[in-house]
Amino acid sequence: MTVTSVLPEVQAFLARTHSLYLDGKWVSSSGEGRLPVFNPATGSVIASVADATYEDVQRAVGSAKNSFRKGVWREMRPADRERILLRLADLVERDAEILAQLETLEQGQSIMLSRLLEVGGAQSWIRYVAGLTTKITGQTFDVSIQMPPGARYTAYTRKEPIGVVAGIVPWNFPLLIGVWKVLPALAAGCSVIVKPSETTPLTMLRFGELATEAGVPDGVFNILTGTGRIAGECLVQHPDVAKVSFTGSTPVGKRIAQNCASRLARVSLELGGKNPAIVLADADLGRVVGGLTMAGFMNQGQVCAACSRIYVEEPLFDRVAAGLQQALSGMSIGPGMDENAFINPVVSSQHQKKIQSFLDGATEAGAEMLQGPAAPNEQGFYVRPTLVINPDDSLPLARDEVFGPVMTLTRVKNAEEALSKANDTPFGLAASLWTGSLDAAMRLPPKMEAGTVWVNSHVMIDPNMPFGGIKDSGIGRDFGTGWLDAFTETKSICIQH
């Protein structure tokens, strides 16, 4: 077992009394409330952060609005904004191990995942978005306005930053998804307020310090720690917040959409999923088993796009089941700081109980289950990795988003039955198809109801590939060359001459 030693810089950061990060500095909350931050591997408190009040939200929005009106960021040359954001990526790279350890200690995920995906991915996405800063373009138009007779017109559009953006970040990938909220807004010239999850606020607070060090002007990037009930609700309802970008559960996303609709604020939602994989009889067995093991159990299944339902054609079913069972039995389980542990604790005691309630319900219903190793201790928030074989479609575990290390494996007669079952869900975030047939690879993905469909892989993302859901899985798309469009308004300008 190789256990990563906690850096002195990380220990020092955990020992600090964390306030709010507003106007480029630490600011005390107007209230006395504190929120504990737990280490999921031990259940012990490792830090605490301020629980923002209504007055704190007003102050944060006022700071962001003031910076936007002054134009200290939005009127800066695009090349200068790009240079600052690129410097931010360099600082994330400089402090990569500090950020990775903070992420693992507060979220529970493998330190290897924190290094590779969270911190490594954050650098890639920051640099990608920084490059879009200088690529914001409008259009020119030939118009045929008839009045007054003989007049000539030139018309064009320009993209302008939308204003104050509120980014609400979930707990499963606190740094990376935080970057997805902050960076496109900054690249477009907006001012930003981020509310990280009360469960995992530490890496975003450190990221705020790095943004100031990189040169992001005071007031342009603010961080509110607090609960969704107070800080989150106040942000979403604030009349000076022009756009809300939220990643999280579908029920919360729907409430946010209703709040934004009441005042016609812009909103982007990346919500839940019950993501299927269809495995055809001609698929490569090794690729299927390895790929779906990663897709279902990475970060303990706490991934919006994780594979949670597998439908396998009859000729290959028993071999896939045996392969996944072998993968389960060989999994090591332990704290995230153990570099060799494949399964780590889930994020919180509350979430642990929620996942276990799904498993208990399936057990009571007589479902057949294959499970991996048990937890190494009773203090941490561990859940055994589980494969449920041919569950009844009416089981909550088979229909609702579990968001844990749980997958279902179902035998189907053919691709048509698999497609019908895969689409029989209110969700539509992601899906995958596993096949050796080019014809199937071209024919079936258009019929799969999901915002992203992978073929012979699952859960792999890239800054240049748009990502988002349909149906109850959300509104809007992140990533890609058009990413900044969601953070800008189109203004038409018409000149008579």
Side-chain angles (χ1 to χ4, degrees):
M1 180 174 69
T2 304
V3 177
T4 299
S5 298
V6 178
L7 294 172
E9 296 91 337
V10 173
Q11 295 173 340
F13 189 86
L14 295 175
R16 286 159 57 178
T17 301
H18 297 287
S19 305
L20 308 174
Y21 198 75
L22 309 178
D23 283 317
K25 57 184 177 294
W26 295 100
V27 177
S28 297
S29 169
S30 65
E32 300 295 326
R34 305 290 299 175
L35 297 172
V37 180
F38 294 89
N39 180 349
T42 63
S44 61
V45 175
I46 56 173
S48 71
V49 296
D51 186 4
T53 65
Y54 171 83
E55 291 75 16
D56 295 331
V57 175
Q58 305 307 307
R59 183 167 37 162
V61 175
S63 172
K65 181 181 179 181
N66 184 54
S67 72
F68 187 76
R69 283 186 168 176
K70 286 183 176 180
V72 293
W73 180 250
R74 66 184 174 92
E75 294 178 6
M76 188 180 292
R77 288 193 325 146
D80 292 332
R81 290 205 307 270
E82 178 187 42
R83 177 174 49 81
I84 290 171
L85 297 181
L86 289 173
R87 186 184 302 153
L88 177 56
D90 292 340
L91 294 177
V92 170
E93 184 174 11
R94 181 198 69 188
D95 289 358
E97 185 63 15
I98 295 172
L99 291 165
Q101 290 192 16
L102 284 173
E103 193 83 328
T104 290
L105 290 171
E106 69 172 344
Q107 202 277 339
Q109 66 184 242
S110 166
I111 186 65
M112 306 302 287
L113 187 65
S114 292
R115 290 167 179 160
L116 179 64
L117 182 57
E118 288 271 38
V119 182
Q123 296 168 46
S124 297
W125 261 272
I126 293 170
R127 291 180 174 123
Y128 179 89
V129 179
L132 298 180
T133 305
T134 56
K135 313 299 187 298
I136 301 173
T137 60
Q139 294 177 293
T140 58
F141 304 94
D142 288 332
V143 294
S144 301
I145 301 172
Q146 297 177 349
M147 297 178 63
R152 297 176 64 84
Y153 292 86
T154 295
Y156 64 94
T157 58
R158 55 179 280 113
K159 296 283 189 178
E160 298 182 348
I162 201 168
V164 176
V165 173
I168 301 178
V169 181
W171 47 255
N172 57 329
F173 290 103
L175 177 62
L176 185 57
I177 298 181
V179 164
W180 298 347
K181 303 299 179 195
V182 173
L183 264 294
L186 291 180
C190 300
S191 293
V192 188
I193 305 159
V194 168
K195 194 204 86 64
S197 167
E198 55 263 43
T199 310
T200 55
L202 300 178
T203 47
M204 191 48 51
L205 289 172
R206 178 60 186 140
F207 185 70
E209 289 184 319
L210 295 181
T212 298
E213 184 179 347
V216 175
D218 296 347
V220 173
F221 178 22
N222 304 278
I223 304 170
L224 281 172
T225 56
T227 64
R229 184 175 56 86
I230 301 297
E233 289 286 344
C234 291
L235 266 181
V236 167
Q237 296 173 6
H238 201 289
D240 290 331
V241 172
K243 176 184 172 67
V244 176
S245 177
F246 171 79
T247 296
S249 72
T250 294
V252 175
K254 287 182 176 181
R255 291 201 300 272
I256 289 174
Q258 290 169 352
N259 279 320
C260 289
S262 68
R263 58 186 184 84
L264 298 182
R266 305 299 187 263
V267 62
S268 297
L269 304 171
E270 197 266 274
L271 306 178
K274 191 67 177 173
N275 310 300
I278 294 176
V279 182
L280 302 186
D282 61 6
D284 180 277
L285 180 64
R287 178 179 286 181
V288 168
V289 171
L292 292 181
T293 298
M294 176 64 69
F297 297 113
M298 182 176 70
N299 198 23
Q300 295 59 255
Q302 299 168 129
V303 182
C304 296
C307 175
S308 57
R309 299 178 291 146
I310 308 171
Y311 300 103
V312 186
E313 283 191 307
E314 282 184 327
L316 198 61
F317 180 85
D318 290 339
R319 295 169 66 197
V320 170
L324 290 174
Q325 182 178 14
Q326 183 178 9
L328 275 174
S329 64
M331 288 179 181
S332 56
I333 184 168
M337 295 297 278
D338 178 357
E339 297 181 5
N340 296 313
F342 184 82
I343 294 292
N344 313 115
V346 298
V347 70
S348 67
S349 175
Q350 179 183 8
H351 193 54
Q352 177 193 40
K353 293 173 183 176
K354 176 184 174 182
I355 298 169
Q356 193 59 51
S357 70
F358 279 108
L359 294 174
D360 292 344
T363 299
E364 292 171 6
E368 179 187 355
M369 292 193 290
L370 305 175
Q371 291 191 301
N377 62 62
E378 296 180 358
Q379 289 73 41
F381 309 141
Y382 291 93
V383 175
R384 294 179 72 177
T386 303
L387 186 67
V388 185
I389 307 297
N390 292 315
D392 189 283
D393 289 340
S394 65
L395 273 181
L397 179 145
R399 300 200 61 82
D400 299 336
E401 185 179 38
V402 178
F403 217 62
V406 179
M407 287 196 295
T408 63
L409 181 67
T410 302
R411 186 193 305 267
V412 294
K413 293 180 180 179
N414 50 44
E416 287 67 31
E417 182 185 1
L419 189 64
S420 175
K421 287 181 176 292
N423 289 339
D424 183 22
T425 175
F427 298 107
L429 184 60
S432 63
L433 172 69
W434 301 77
T435 180
S437 165
L438 177 60
D439 175 71
M442 298 301 296
R443 178 173 52 86
L444 293 180
K447 299 179 181 181
M448 300 173 75
E449 296 174 0
T452 299
V453 178
W454 291 278
V455 177
N456 294 327
S457 70
H458 194 118
V459 90
M460 301 302 168
I461 55 176
D462 184 87
N464 204 37
M465 185 174 73
F467 182 80
I470 62 174
K471 300 195 287 188
D472 278 4
S473 289
I475 299 171
R477 294 293 181 270
D478 289 323
F479 317 160
T481 57
W483 199 357
L484 302 194
D485 290 346
F487 296 87
T488 60
E489 295 284 14
T490 300
K491 177 180 287 184
S492 293
I493 298 175
C494 185
I495 303 172
Q496 180 183 346
H497 54 88

